[in-house]
Amino acid sequence: MALEITQFLLSAQSPDANVRTEAEANLTRFQEQNLPSFLLSLSVELANDEKPIESRRLAGIVLKNSLDAKDAVRKEHLVQKWMEIDISIKSQIKDLLLRTLGSAATEARHTSAQVIAKIASIEIPKKQWPELIASLLTNMTHQDRPPSLKQATLETLGYVCEEISHEDLVQDEVNSVLTAVVQGMNLAEHSPEVRLAATKALYNALDFAQTNFENDMERSYIMKMVCETAISKEVEIRQVAFECLVSIASTYYEKLEPYMQALFELTSNAVKGDEEAVALQAIEFWSSICDEEIELQEYENPESGDSEPPNSHFIEKALSSLVPMLLETLLKQEEDQDQDDSIWNLSMAGGTCLGLVARTVGDAIVPLVMPFIEANISKQDWHCREAATYAFGSILEGPTIDKLTPLVHAGLDFMLKAMKDENNHVRDTTAWTLGRIFELLHCPASGFSVISSENIRQVLSVLMESINDTPNVAEKVCGAIYYLAQGYEDTVPSSSLLTPFLTEIITYLIRTADRTDGGDSKLRSSAYETLNEVIRCSTVAETSRIIEHLLPVIMNKLEQTLQLQIVSTDDREKQGDLQASLCGVLQVIIQKLSSTDETKHIILQEADKIMTLFLRVFACRSSTVHEEAMLAIGALAYACGPNFENYMREFYPYLEMGLQNFEEYQVCSITVGVVGDICRALDDKVLQFCDGIMKHLLNDLGSNELHRSVKPPIFSCFGDIALAIGEHFERYVSYAVTAMQQASQICAQIDVNDEEFMEYGNQLRRSIFEAYSGILQGFKNSKPEVMSPYAPHLLQFIELVFLDRQRDESVTKAAVAVMGDLADALGPNTKLLFRNCAFYIEFLGECLQSDDEQLKETATWTQGMIGRVMVS
Amino acid sequence: MAPHDLRRPFKRAAISDQQRRRELSLQRQAQHRRDAQHQARCLASFLNPHSDPDPEPEPETTPEPEPEPTDSPKELDVRHASKLKGAEARKWFARQLMLPEWMIDVPDQLPQDWYVFARPAGKRCFVVSSNGTTVSRLRNGSMLHHFPSALPSGARTKDSSGSAQSYSILDCIFHESDQTYYVIDMVCWREYSLYDCTAEFRFFWLSSKLAETGACDPPSQYHRYRFSPVPVYNCDQAGLSAAYTGAVPYVKDGLLFYNKHAHYQTGNTPLALVWKDENCSQYVIDTDSKGQVPSQQQVVLELQDNGNLSTSDDPPVVFGCLDQAFIEQTESRSGNLLRFAIGDGGLNFVDGKLEKADLHYLGKSNRARAFADSYSKVG
C-alpha cells in the first residue's frame, strides 16, 4: 500500500520553482486520490532511518498538517477524514510512529512525538487507542531502553497530556503517566537530556495533573521535584523548572501556601545570582502571583474582603523582602535597551513586576520605594538616575491619589528638568513617567490633577521641546501628550486648559509625524494617534476653527500618499500604514465637527473631496478594502445624511468587497456597521442597494469561515435596513427571519459555564431582538401582517430569554422593547398571543422595579402598548 | 507547547488608538440605532435632538436659563422651557400650543382618521409640573395659576414619585365654574416628549397615565385643582352624536376634531379643527369685553414691516395694507396686533384667493393677545 515518495518530498523542497511546484502537485494529487495510502507512505518515510533527513522532516510536517489545523472548521474536516480510514492502516501508521520514537535521528523522534499527540487527541477521547499509554510507559520502565527513546517518550507524554483531558483516561493511567514524567526528572537515575525532556513534559502536563494537585502527598512530591530541578547544574533545566513554577503559580495559586517560604528563597536566589534566562522566570513567578491576587481583589466581596478562591496575600506578606529584591534589578539596565523593542531584560522585568506589586498592595509600597528613589535620583551614574525614575513611574498605579498627590507635586518639577538629562535612557524613562503621571493623576473631571493653569505652560514647553529628541524619547513624549489631552475628555464641553496651546501642539505633532529619522513607522503612528486624542478631547466650540484648518492639511497628506511610487510589497505596506493613520485622523475630525450643528457645515462643504480621497485610497488595493477608510466613511455617512446618496454608486463595489472579506473579519465587521450608518443616512433611498447588501449579509451568516463575532452585528444590521426601507423589507423577510430563528436556537444551547461563549450569546440575543424591533417598526405603518406568522416564535424566544436568570441587562432591555414593538406593530392581532403568554406580566413587573431608568421607561412603554392591545 | 512570551508591554505600551476608534464607532452606531428605534416607537425625546430628522425649529427667543453644569447641552428645549420664568416663559409658551383651524369642510376619512370631543369652555392653557410645583400659562404665555398638584413632581410631597427633575406638560382648558383643568392633550409626561407622537398615542397615554397620579382626585392640601380628561370619541355616527349631544360636566364650547395620525404641532394646524354652532357652544361668534355680540364681524391682524395686514397662518394670508401715514397716525409698529371690523363689503375672492377685504380700523388689540386671527376663523 505504501508508495515510495522520497523523491517527491525532496523535489518539493527544491530551489527550482518548477520542480517544486510539480512535486507539490504530485503530492497533493496523491493525497486527494488515496489519503490512507498517502498517510501510510509518509509514516514509512518518517520511520525509515535510511532515508535522508530532509524528506523525513517534510513527511512528518505533512503528516501533522493532515491531522491538525488552526482553523476549527478545517480541523474538524481533517479529523473526520482520519476517522474514516481503515482501522488496519491506522494501526500500521501508529506502529510506525511509535517505532520512530527510537530513531537515531533527533528530528524524526521529535516530529513523531508531535504526530502521536495529534492522533491521541482524536482517538483517546473516543477510546480508540487504549494501548498507547501502556506502550509509552513501557519505554520508561525498561532499564535497557536507550536515553534517546526515553527522551522522545517523555516528550510524547508531555504533548499527549497537553492535548487531552485527564478525564479521558482512568485515574490509574493518569497517575502512571505523571509518575513516569516526574521520575524522569530524578537526578540520580537519568541523563541531563532525559531530565530536561521530563521537566518540559511536566510543564505541558500541569493542567492534566489537576487531580494529583488536589492530593496533598502527590502535590508535595511534584513540588519537591520541581524545586530540586530548579537548582540543577544545567541552566536549561533550571529555566524549564522555573517555567513550571510560573505556570503552577497561576494554575494552582490556591495550593501554594505551604511552599511559599521555599519558593521565595528559590526565586530570590535566582533573581540575585542566576543566569538572566532563569532570573527572568523567577521574576515572572512573582508577576504571575500579582496577576492572580489582582484578579482576586476584583472579584472579592467589598465588605468582607472575601473572595473565592481565598486571597492568600502572598505579595503583602513578602513585601518587605520582595520590593528591595525588585529594586535591585532596576539597576541592571543595558546600553541601548530603549532603542530596540525586542529587548527584554532583568531591569525591565523587575520594573514591570514592581508595577504589578504596587497595584496589588497599594499604599504600602510607597514607603518601601521612596528611599530608593531619593538615594538614586541625583547620582552621577545614569543607571541610578534611570532606575530611580523607573521605580517612581512604576508605582503610580495602585496607591491612592491622596498618597501619591504630594509626591507627584513635589516631583513634577524635577521630572520636567530631567527631560534635559544628558543620558537618553534617563530622558526616555522620564518621558514615560510623565505620561504615567498624566494618565493616572490628571483627571480634572474627578476633581484632581497635577496640572493647573499655573504650570500648564511650563509642562507644555518642556514637552514641545522634547518631542524633537531622539525617536524613542519623542515617542514617549507623544504618549505623555496623549494622556495630558485625555484628562480633559470628560470635562468637555467646558473649557480645557489645552485650548490656548492647541495650534502649537498640533503643529508639533504633525512635524513629528513627518520626521524621517524614526526608522520604522512607530513614531509617526504615535504622533497621529496622539493628534487624534488631542482633537477628540478638545472643546469643539473653542477649537472648531483650528480643526477646520487642520482638515485640508490632513487631506493634502492623504492625497500625497496616492502619488507615492510603489515598487515593492514593502512600499505598498508602508503606503497602507500611512493611509491608515491619516484616515484615522480624518475620521476623528469628521466625527468631532459633525457633532454640533454649528460646525457640521464644515464637513458638508468638504464632503465631496473627502469622499473622493477615500475612494482613491480604496482603489490603491485590488482585493481588500482599507479598514480605516471604511471606518471613516461610516462617520462621513452619518454627517452627510441623505446627501450621501451621491457617493453610493461609486462606493458600493467597495462596500460589497468589505462584506465579503471573511479573512480580515474586522474589516467585514466594520463594513457591516457602515451599512447601518448608510441606512440611517439614506433612509428609503438605500433600497436600490439592498438586494446586493442582503445577499452578502445572508452569505456571511451562513459562512463557517467568518469569525463568529461578526454575526451579531449582521442581525442588528437587518433591523437597520428594515427600519430604513419599511415595507420593502418584505422580499427579504423570510430569509432574514429564518436566520434569526436559527440563531435563536443556538442561543438556547449555549453552555453557561463558558464565559466567553456566554458573552457571545448575549450579543447574539440582543442583536436578534434589535433585528425584530427594526423589522416590526419598519412594517408597522404599511404591512404589519407580514410579521404575524413569526410572532409566536418570537414570543417563545423572549420567554426563553426571560427564564434565563443570568441574562444580561442589555438583553433584557432589548427583549422588553421588542415585546412592545410586537404589540405596537401587530396591534389587536397579538391579543390572543399575549393572553396565552402569562410570562410577560412577570417580566414587565421585574423591569418596572429595576433601578435602571432607561429600562423602566421602555417597560412602561411596552406595558402601554400591550395594554392597548388587551383592551382593543 | 512553547512557554509563553515573558515580555509584558509595560514601559513600551504602544498607543493604540485604532481599537479605540473602532469602539467609539460602534458606540456611535449603537446610539444612533437606539435613537432610530426609539423614534420609531414614538419615544423620540428631546434628549437627543440629533436623532430627529425633522426637528422643530427651536424658538429663537429661548434664552439660556441659569447655567446648570450637570445638564448636557443637548437637553435644551422642553426641559429648559419647564424651568423658564417671567417674560422668557411667556414668550416661549405663547408659541407652543397647537391651535385648531375652523372646520370649513368635512375632511376625507373623517370616521376612520379623526377623533372628536366636546371642548370645555374656559381658558386654554399649558400646565407644567416640575420641581415640586405646578404652573399654568395662558395662550399668550402669562401665568394663570401657580399651585401644588398631584401631577408628577407637581408638589413638594415626601413621597413624590420620580425624580425632582421629572416634569410634565399638559394642554388644558381651565373651566371656571367647577375650578377644573380639563386635559385635552398631553405634550410631555415624566420627561417623555410626546410631540412626535400621534394623537392616537397621546390620547391613549393621557387616559392611562393621568388617573394613576391622583390628579383626577378632588382637591386637597397638596392638590389645589382637580384635573379631568374629556371623553374622546371616534368620528363615527355614534361618536359624533355623543360628543355633540352627550352630557358632560362642563359647559361646551364647540367640538374639537383631532386627526389620529397627526403629531403635536405648535401653532395653527389643519389637522385639528373646531366646529361651533348654537347647539354645542354658547360662543358661536365673538363677543366684546361686555359679552355683547358686536354688530360687525371683527378680526385681529398683524401689521408687517411692509404695512401688510396678515393672519397668523403660515404662510400668512394678507387681508389688506396700511399706508405709512395711517401707521404713523395710530403709532402702530410692525408686529402690532390691530383689530378691525369687516364692513359690508365683506371678503372678495378671485379664483379662491382673497383679493380684498373691507376693513375698518377699530384700535389696537388687547395687550394680552399674542396672535392674529387665523384665516379659517375669519373665512
Side-chain angles (χ1 to χ4, degrees):
Chain A
M1 267 293 269
L3 297 182
E4 168 72 41
I5 53 170
T6 314
Q7 199 48 51
F8 292 139
L9 290 167
L10 291 176
S11 301
Q13 303 170 69
S14 161
D16 182 334
N18 289 330
V19 176
R20 203 167 61 231
T21 316
E22 197 195 330
E24 281 168 358
N26 282 327
L27 288 171
T28 309
R29 199 174 317 126
F30 185 15
Q31 180 172 25
E32 282 164 3
Q33 283 170 357
N34 193 342
L35 183 69
S37 171
F38 178 67
L39 297 182
L40 184 61
S41 307
L42 291 168
S43 321
V44 170
E45 186 78 18
L46 179 64
N48 192 339
D49 272 345
E50 283 156 24
K51 295 288 185 183
I53 189 63
E54 290 80 11
S55 64
R56 297 175 73 186
R57 180 193 300 137
L58 188 59
I61 293 172
V62 175
L63 201 49
K64 185 160 70 103
N65 291 344
S66 305
L67 294 163
D68 190 24
K70 273 193 188 138
D71 179 75
V73 178
R74 175 154 174 77
K75 178 171 177 154
E76 187 51 42
H77 173 77
L78 294 173
V79 167
Q80 207 54 46
K81 286 279 172 208
W82 170 259
M83 296 205 306
E84 285 163 12
I85 293 174
D86 186 88
I87 195 157
S88 69
I89 297 188
K90 282 192 284 196
S91 295
Q92 287 180 59
I93 294 173
K94 290 188 278 188
D95 284 345
L96 285 160
L97 289 167
L98 284 172
R99 213 186 304 155
T100 312
L101 293 180
S103 163
T106 319
E107 219 173 317
R109 295 200 300 271
H110 172 69
T111 313
S112 189
Q114 289 179 317
V115 178
I116 290 170
K118 293 302 171 197
I119 298 177
S121 78
I122 301 171
E123 296 199 339
I124 289 199
K126 298 188 170 65
K127 317 285 178 210
Q128 288 172 348
W129 199 358
E131 65 281 11
L132 171 67
I133 300 296
S135 78
L136 289 173
L137 291 176
T138 312
N139 291 344
M140 295 311 295
T141 45
H142 282 68
Q143 292 298 326
D144 55 335
R145 300 288 159 94
S148 61
L149 175 63
K150 290 190 172 172
Q151 179 256 339
T153 304
L154 284 165
E155 193 180 5
T156 312
L157 284 170
Y159 292 159
V160 171
C161 292
E162 201 188 16
E163 291 280 350
I164 65 173
S165 153
H166 65 99
E167 286 165 348
D168 293 330
L169 299 177
V170 293
Q171 192 58 41
D172 276 353
E173 281 180 306
V174 173
N175 297 345
S176 310
V177 168
L178 282 168
T179 306
V181 169
V182 177
Q183 278 177 354
M185 294 162 73
N186 194 322
L187 178 64
E189 288 173 36
H190 297 290
S191 67
E193 293 74 26
V194 173
R195 284 190 290 123
L196 178 63
T199 317
K200 283 183 179 169
L202 179 66
Y203 178 86
N204 287 326
L206 283 171
D207 272 330
F208 179 82
Q210 213 172 308
T211 332
N212 310 79
F213 263 84
E214 292 297 326
N215 179 305
D216 288 346
M217 245 175 55
E218 293 179 33
R219 180 180 63 244
S220 291
Y221 178 62
I222 296 173
M223 290 301 290
K224 175 171 159 285
M225 290 303 290
V226 178
C227 290
E228 278 175 14
T229 313
I231 49 170
S232 305
K233 203 158 87 265
E234 301 82 1
V235 59
E236 210 186 338
I237 299 180
R238 291 204 301 277
Q239 183 185 337
V240 180
F242 271 101
E243 282 170 14
C244 289
L245 289 176
V246 171
S247 178
I248 291 168
S250 44
T251 315
Y252 300 109
Y253 170 87
E254 70 277 12
K255 305 284 179 203
L256 284 181
E257 181 85 64
Y259 319 106
M260 279 313 274
Q261 188 54 42
L263 289 172
F264 180 81
E265 276 159 33
L266 202 58
T267 51
S268 171
N269 289 337
V271 170
K272 283 176 186 142
D274 210 326
E275 305 269 339
E276 186 172 63
V278 183
L280 286 175
Q281 294 295 342
I283 294 177
E284 183 64 17
F285 171 83
W286 289 101
S287 291
S288 299
I289 298 282
C290 289
D291 286 343
E292 292 305 310
E293 296 193 348
I294 289 169
E295 197 181 329
L296 288 175
Q297 286 172 23
E298 273 168 21
Y299 289 106
E300 78 190 8
N301 181 329
E303 274 139 47
S304 64
D306 292 343
S307 64
E308 188 55 48
N311 187 335
S312 304
H313 301 285
F314 294 134
I315 299 295
E316 206 177 295
K317 289 172 192 158
L319 198 63
S320 59
S321 325
L322 187 59
V323 170
M325 174 184 97
L326 293 171
L327 290 172
E328 277 308 300
T329 66
L330 300 188
L331 291 159
K332 300 184 178 167
Q333 309 95 325
E334 295 168 292
E335 301 285 346
D336 294 338
Q337 67 176 20
D338 293 318
Q339 309 298 335
D340 180 352
D341 275 353
S342 62
I343 290 180
W344 182 251
N345 60 31
L346 216 53
S347 77
M348 304 182 94
T352 304
C353 189
L354 191 64
L356 289 167
V357 172
R359 286 175 55 199
T360 313
V361 302
D363 286 356
I365 199 167
V366 176
L368 294 169
V369 174
M370 286 317 289
F372 176 84
I373 297 174
E374 284 155 12
N376 287 285
I377 195 100
S378 301
K379 279 199 178 150
Q380 197 71 46
D381 182 354
W382 72 263
H383 293 89
C384 300
R385 298 200 301 280
E386 198 275 342
T389 315
Y390 194 21
F392 188 52
S394 298
I395 61 163
L396 291 173
E397 186 180 7
T400 54
I401 304 293
D402 288 345
K403 186 87 180 174
L404 291 171
T405 300
L407 299 174
V408 173
H409 272 295
L412 187 62
D413 256 353
F414 193 97
M415 291 289 143
L416 293 172
K417 287 201 187 76
M419 285 308 299
K420 298 195 177 72
D421 194 285
E422 60 185 24
N423 181 276
N424 178 285
H425 298 293
V426 176
R427 297 198 302 277
D428 185 287
T429 304
T430 305
W432 172 78
T433 302
L434 284 171
R436 296 262 297 172
I437 291 174
F438 300 150
E439 179 186 358
L440 301 160
L441 291 152
H442 163 56
C443 187
S446 308
F448 64 88
S449 173
V450 295
I451 299 296
S452 62
S453 51
E454 286 83 49
N455 67 12
I456 180 108
R457 186 175 296 275
Q458 186 203 1
V459 167
L460 280 169
S461 78
V462 169
L463 292 175
M464 294 300 105
E465 194 173 329
S466 298
I467 206 170
N468 298 318
D469 205 322
T470 52
N472 62 308
V473 179
E475 203 192 306
K476 303 285 194 305
V477 172
C478 286
I481 298 173
Y482 186 96
Y483 290 113
L484 186 60
Q486 193 169 78
Y488 297 105
E489 184 179 25
D490 297 327
T491 62
V492 171
S494 68
S495 188
S496 139
L497 281 180
L498 283 187
T499 302
F501 307 97
L502 202 68
T503 307
E504 194 185 357
I505 295 171
I506 290 176
T507 310
Y508 273 88
L509 286 172
I510 294 212
R511 204 184 295 161
T512 304
D514 287 340
R515 276 168 68 161
T516 49
D517 61 344
D520 54 18
S521 58
K522 222 177 136 202
L523 175 58
R524 191 182 61 210
S525 74
S526 291
Y528 280 130
E529 312 259 274
T530 302
L531 180 60
N532 290 342
E533 191 68 0
V534 167
I535 299 167
R536 203 156 29 216
C537 302
S538 70
T539 315
V540 74
E542 293 175 347
T543 59
S544 63
R545 296 292 299 274
I546 301 170
I547 300 172
E548 183 177 0
H549 285 128
L550 179 61
L551 179 60
V553 175
I554 302 295
M555 285 167 65
N556 195 19
K557 284 183 174 295
L558 187 54
E559 166 105 49
Q560 284 167 20
T561 66
L562 300 166
Q563 270 117 47
L564 287 173
Q565 277 262 312
I566 305 297
V567 183
S568 62
T569 51
D570 199 33
D571 292 340
R572 169 84 52 216
E573 200 177 312
K574 277 185 184 158
Q575 182 195 38
D577 287 351
L578 185 52
Q579 288 172 341
S581 289
L582 292 165
C583 287
V585 181
L586 283 177
Q587 186 205 339
V588 174
I589 294 179
I590 292 168
Q591 235 162 300
K592 190 77 191 177
L593 291 181
S594 58
S595 69
T596 74
D597 290 338
E598 293 75 39
T599 50
K600 201 176 192 166
H601 68 96
I602 303 170
I603 296 301
L604 297 183
Q605 274 163 17
E606 295 297 313
D608 283 356
K609 284 188 215 152
I610 299 176
M611 193 63 197
T612 309
L613 274 172
F614 289 152
L615 290 170
R616 290 173 66 196
V617 168
F618 281 139
C620 287
R621 299 188 189 177
S622 53
S623 59
T624 57
V625 293
H626 201 288
E627 178 180 346
E628 290 284 345
M630 192 57 90
L631 263 179
I633 282 176
L636 188 66
Y638 167 66
C640 288
N643 291 336
F644 193 79
E645 194 193 358
N646 302 336
Y647 312 126
M648 275 306 285
R649 212 171 45 80
E650 277 181 280
F651 171 56
Y652 182 71
Y654 301 108
L655 192 72
E656 280 200 319
M657 216 187 259
L659 292 178
Q660 294 172 88
N661 196 338
F662 290 178
E663 272 179 32
E664 296 165 276
Y665 69 89
Q666 290 276 20
V667 173
C668 189
S669 172
I670 284 165
T671 313
V672 171
V674 170
V675 171
D677 281 324
I678 291 173
C679 289
R680 285 180 289 272
L682 261 54
D683 240 342
D684 54 355
K685 294 204 179 101
V686 78
L687 180 61
Q688 51 188 312
F689 304 100
C690 282
D691 281 353
I693 291 173
M694 282 301 294
K695 184 183 87 188
H696 292 302
L697 292 178
L698 288 164
N699 268 346
D700 287 353
L701 283 179
S703 161
N704 287 325
E705 286 170 66
L706 185 63
H707 194 275
R708 70 175 189 208
S709 70
V710 188
K711 300 193 175 178
I714 291 177
F715 287 116
S716 306
C717 192
F718 285 167
D720 299 339
I721 293 172
L723 205 51
I725 64 174
E727 59 182 355
H728 301 291
F729 197 77
E730 189 176 1
R731 63 179 105 166
Y732 315 121
V733 80
S734 68
Y735 306 103
V737 176
T738 305
M740 285 147 62
Q741 290 179 345
Q742 281 168 0
S744 52
Q745 313 289 348
I746 294 175
C747 293
Q749 296 155 6
I750 280 174
D751 176 5
V752 292
N753 297 315
D754 184 339
E755 219 171 279
E756 198 188 332
F757 210 61
M758 279 285 281
E759 175 51 34
Y760 175 67
N762 284 331
Q763 287 173 5
L764 203 55
R765 290 184 179 98
R766 194 168 55 229
S767 65
I768 294 170
F769 289 139
E770 283 176 347
Y772 275 114
S773 287
I775 297 172
L776 286 164
Q777 290 297 344
F779 280 127
K780 179 171 72 177
N781 294 322
S782 46
K783 285 191 173 172
E785 67 279 4
V786 174
M787 288 305 287
S788 295
Y790 307 113
H793 188 279
L794 171 57
L795 268 179
Q796 281 167 21
F797 180 44
I798 299 172
E799 180 165 16
L800 210 64
V801 170
F802 162 68
L803 293 172
D804 173 10
R805 288 286 124 205
Q806 298 182 337
R807 96 185 92 85
D808 191 75
E809 179 119 323
S810 67
V811 175
T812 305
K813 272 183 203 166
V816 169
V818 82
M819 278 202 303
D821 292 327
L822 190 64
D824 185 18
L826 301 192
N829 296 333
T830 54
K831 190 170 177 174
L832 214 60
L833 270 178
F834 278 111
R835 193 169 288 162
N836 293 330
C837 282
F839 83 89
Y840 84 86
I841 298 169
E842 202 184 325
F843 195 8
L844 286 175
E846 178 199 309
C847 299
L848 291 168
Q849 277 161 29
S850 157
D851 292 332
D852 184 320
E853 284 302 318
Q854 225 185 350
L855 178 57
K856 253 198 281 192
E857 260 184 38
T858 309
T860 310
W861 177 80
T862 296
Q863 194 179 37
M865 285 296 142
I866 298 177
R868 189 169 66 162
V869 166
M870 295 317 251
V871 300
S872 62
Chain B
M1 295 184 189
H4 70 284
D5 190 357
L6 279 182
R7 289 172 298 167
R8 295 169 182 246
F10 183 50
K11 197 184 150 187
R12 292 199 186 104
I15 301 167
S16 177
D17 202 54
Q18 189 191 30
Q19 192 52 33
R20 194 163 147 79
R21 275 201 298 283
R22 278 190 199 133
E23 280 160 14
L24 289 172
S25 283
L26 285 177
Q27 279 174 22
R28 176 180 61 75
Q29 284 161 351
Q31 177 66 45
H32 293 161
R33 174 174 301 126
R34 255 198 311 278
D35 291 348
Q37 295 196 343
H38 266 221
Q39 202 178 334
R41 293 178 188 126
C42 295
L43 280 176
S45 82
F46 47 87
L47 293 174
N48 293 296
H50 294 291
S51 69
D52 190 344
D54 185 20
E56 293 189 24
E58 282 179 21
E60 322 88 295
T61 49
T62 306
E64 290 287 325
E66 65 283 10
E68 289 202 29
T70 51
D71 271 2
S72 131
K74 292 176 184 166
E75 300 179 28
L76 272 176
D77 225 327
V78 185
R79 172 186 276 265
H80 280 171
S82 70
K83 295 175 187 159
L84 295 179
K85 295 193 171 71
E88 316 299 358
R90 266 206 302 284
K91 279 189 204 159
W92 195 84
F93 282 99
R95 297 165 171 271
Q96 296 305 312
L97 283 167
M98 177 154 90
L99 304 172
E101 292 194 1
W102 289 74
M103 191 184 239
I104 302 169
D105 53 14
V106 178
D108 294 342
Q109 305 276 332
L110 185 74
Q112 291 83 24
D113 289 342
W114 293 75
Y115 287 129
V116 62
F117 60 92
R119 178 166 76 173
K123 292 171 176 146
R124 176 84 182 276
C125 56
F126 254 156
V127 175
V128 180
S129 69
S130 78
N131 257 326
T133 187
T134 307
V135 173
S136 56
R137 290 185 178 278
L138 295 174
R139 213 183 127 172
N140 61 10
S142 65
M143 197 192 295
L144 176 64
H145 297 128
H146 186 175
F147 59 104
S149 78
L151 293 172
S153 306
R156 286 181 211 283
T157 49
K158 274 178 216 150
D159 61 338
S160 67
S161 59
S163 72
Q165 293 289 317
S166 157
Y167 59 87
S168 304
I169 303 179
L170 304 176
D171 185 348
C172 300
I173 292 170
F174 183 67
H175 191 253
E176 281 288 348
S177 62
D178 62 357
Q179 295 283 298
T180 297
Y181 281 97
Y182 287 95
V183 186
I184 61 168
D185 211 333
M186 184 178 264
V187 178
C188 274
W189 187 254
R190 291 189 197 276
E191 304 195 68
Y192 266 179
S193 169
L194 297 166
Y195 274 101
D196 294 334
C197 301
T198 60
E200 186 175 31
F201 183 89
R202 298 199 306 276
F203 287 2
F204 145 71
W205 206 241
L206 167 66
S207 63
S208 55
K209 290 289 141 192
L210 191 65
E212 268 177 27
T213 59
C216 304
D217 298 345
S220 59
Q221 189 188 351
Y222 291 113
H223 182 53
R224 190 167 304 155
Y225 298 102
R226 198 167 69 92
F227 286 76
S228 171
V230 296
V232 176
Y233 306 97
N234 283 317
C235 272
D236 49 22
Q237 199 71 41
L240 280 168
S241 153
Y244 193 67
T245 59
V248 281
Y250 51 81
V251 179
K252 288 185 195 173
D253 180 20
L255 297 181
L256 279 173
F257 295 82
Y258 274 54
N259 185 294
K260 290 181 182 176
H261 309 295
H263 292 186
Y264 195 94
Q265 189 186 332
T266 59
N268 285 103
T269 167
L271 296 174
L273 300 169
V274 60
W275 173 260
K276 290 194 192 190
D277 63 31
E278 50 276 271
N279 287 325
C280 64
S281 171
Q282 52 175 293
Y283 311 107
V284 185
I285 33 181
D286 278 358
T287 51
D288 63 17
S289 53
K290 296 189 190 88
Q292 300 297 309
V293 179
S295 55
Q296 286 178 313
Q297 187 183 357
Q298 295 184 0
V299 56
V300 175
L301 298 168
E302 184 175 347
L303 180 61
Q304 305 292 324
D305 286 337
N306 55 9
N308 279 351
L309 294 166
S310 59
T311 63
S312 64
D313 302 274
D314 184 21
V317 177
V318 177
F319 266 61
C321 183
L322 296 182
D323 64 33
Q324 203 56 38
F326 184 82
I327 292 171
E328 276 164 26
Q329 187 197 333
T330 56
E331 296 178 0
S332 303
R333 268 188 298 267
S334 166
N336 277 167
L337 300 178
L338 307 178
R339 183 174 284 271
F340 296 87
I342 299 178
D344 298 333
L347 307 176
N348 286 316
F349 294 88
V350 173
D351 292 340
K353 283 186 180 154
L354 179 69
E355 193 184 62
K356 72 171 197 220
D358 181 13
L359 297 176
H360 302 277
Y361 180 65
L362 295 175
K364 288 194 187 141
S365 169
N366 184 334
R367 286 169 62 110
R369 236 188 128 113
F371 290 94
D373 282 330
S374 70
Y375 173 66
S376 63
K377 177 180 177 189
V378 183

